[in-house]
Amino acid sequence: MKAMKAMNTGEAVNAPAPAARRERGELFGPRFELFADVLSLGLATAVACLPLVTVPAALSTACALLRRRRLHEEPCTAGRYAAALRARAWRGDLAAGGVLLALAALFVADAVLAAAGLPGAGLFGLFLAVVGAVAAVAGLRACAAPTSAHGWRSALRTGAVRAAGDLPGSALVLLALATAVVCAWAMPPLLFLVPGPLAVALTAVELRVDGTRHGAARR
């Protein structure tokens, strides 16, 4: 009766979204579908990351598919992931991956020097840890930026701005990264399960920022 009255008076009926309900006779609900998508996407991303130089492109593609799943309810299967990965501009992606590997090698070399017990090694180690954390957060947020699919210069600017301007989000990204590193260090086979949850965390942080900005613009 309330629904008929609302239809007659032109008022909207607040009903749950169809995607949030399990249909009659349906074996698996949307939460299980999300879990299956994240697992499939995580494994595909882990395989794509194996050459190491492809890490930025692999994470960027995973975040793009998760964003489209959240905004447009598109499934993010391994097949869609492979198609999106093939469609990328690989020249810029490989250049970004090469820069990442060079910076990682420099960071490891500096860490080895800091651990060698040289004078001032404690302060240098602390400085190195801070710089590494800031660079990692900015780089991960650049991977989650929608512009990373078209060019890494604008994505890196976006990542740096958001890393500095959204400290709670950056703290969540750093926590997700630290959790992933600890899990992979404790149990190396878990490395293949890390990219999916990490991409989910990155996408959730970026969507939260976008939602806040859109809300502020409407006000």
Side-chain angles (χ1 to χ4, degrees):
M1 292 296 295
K2 287 184 179 180
M4 294 179 62
K5 187 181 295 184
M7 292 174 60
N8 293 332
T9 56
E11 296 177 1
V13 180
N14 295 326
R21 296 196 305 263
R22 184 185 299 183
E23 298 296 334
R24 195 170 183 181
E26 187 180 5
L27 292 178
F28 305 111
R31 291 183 180 178
F32 182 85
E33 291 177 1
L34 176 60
F35 172 76
D37 280 354
V38 170
L39 182 60
S40 172
L41 189 68
L43 293 175
T45 307
V47 172
C49 287
L50 286 177
L52 297 183
V53 74
T54 57
V55 167
L59 276 178
S60 171
T61 305
C63 291
L65 262 66
L66 286 168
R67 177 184 289 268
R68 292 194 64 82
R69 191 192 195 287
R70 175 66 181 83
L71 297 179
H72 307 292
E73 297 184 0
E74 293 182 2
C76 47
T77 60
R80 284 177 176 263
Y81 178 82
L85 202 61
R86 286 195 300 268
R88 293 186 65 92
W90 275 100
R91 181 176 297 179
D93 289 335
L94 292 178
V99 171
L100 173 65
L101 288 182
L103 290 175
L106 180 62
F107 181 83
V108 170
D110 289 339
V112 170
L113 288 176
L118 298 176
L123 279 177
F124 180 71
L126 179 61
F127 170 78
L128 193 63
V130 172
V131 170
V134 170
V137 169
L140 287 172
R141 299 199 71 162
C143 290
T147 53
S148 62
H150 310 292
W152 285 100
R153 289 185 179 179
S154 59
L156 286 172
R157 284 196 297 268
T158 301
V161 169
R162 291 195 172 187
D166 178 31
L167 294 182
S170 296
L172 289 175
V173 170
L174 187 59
L175 178 62
L177 178 61
T179 303
V181 169
V182 169
C183 289
W185 183 270
M187 296 185 65
L190 290 180
L191 184 62
F192 281 92
L193 300 179
V194 163
L198 183 59
V200 169
L202 293 173
T203 307
V205 168
E206 297 306 311
L207 286 174
R208 181 184 62 84
V209 174
D210 293 340
T212 302
R213 289 188 174 184
H214 291 158
R218 281 196 292 267
R219 287 197 296 270

